Amino acid sequence: MSSVPTRLESDLAIHPGELLGEELESRGMTQRALAEAMGRPPQVINEIVRGKKAITAETAIQLEEVLGTSARLWLGLQATYELTRARQTL
């Protein structure tokens, strides 16, 4: 009898912006200060934190430069979020 491996995946979709907001809070950094350091409009950062805007490759690189967190981390979080959401709708 052959067995099929079971995939364990969470069905919880957490937008990476939520984690970004928590990271900023833990650093005592405002969204406006992050936006200024990245050379981006504050509205963009606010939309990311609120889960209204995705983290793009360019944004991930800027986060890496400003916060010292890996761009791959941010893109991975975004991809995981999008995959989870897609599975929920299928």
Side-chain angles (χ1 to χ4, degrees):
M1 175 179 348
S2 67
S3 64
V4 176
T6 304
R7 288 186 356 194
L8 296 176
E9 293 184 21
S10 174
D11 63 350
L12 181 62
I14 299 173
H15 192 279
E18 184 176 334
L19 300 173
L20 177 59
E22 291 175 6
E23 180 66 20
L24 292 177
E25 187 176 323
S26 73
R27 292 172 182 243
M29 187 177 204
T30 65
Q31 292 178 23
R32 181 171 295 282
L34 176 62
E36 288 174 5
M38 292 172 63
R40 303 290 292 272
Q43 181 180 354
V44 170
I45 302 305
N46 182 260
E47 289 175 352
I48 291 170
V49 170
R50 290 185 7 233
K52 304 293 182 190
K53 189 171 184 68
I55 293 179
T56 63
E58 178 182 310
T59 301
I61 291 169
Q62 290 174 325
L63 289 170
E64 179 178 72
E65 291 171 353
V66 173
L67 299 178
T69 53
S70 166
R72 287 186 187 274
L73 168 75
W74 295 111
L75 285 180
L77 291 169
Q78 185 66 49
T80 299
Y81 172 78
E82 291 174 11
L83 282 170
T84 302
R85 294 289 298 177
R87 285 195 168 122
Q88 290 172 343
T89 60
L90 293 177

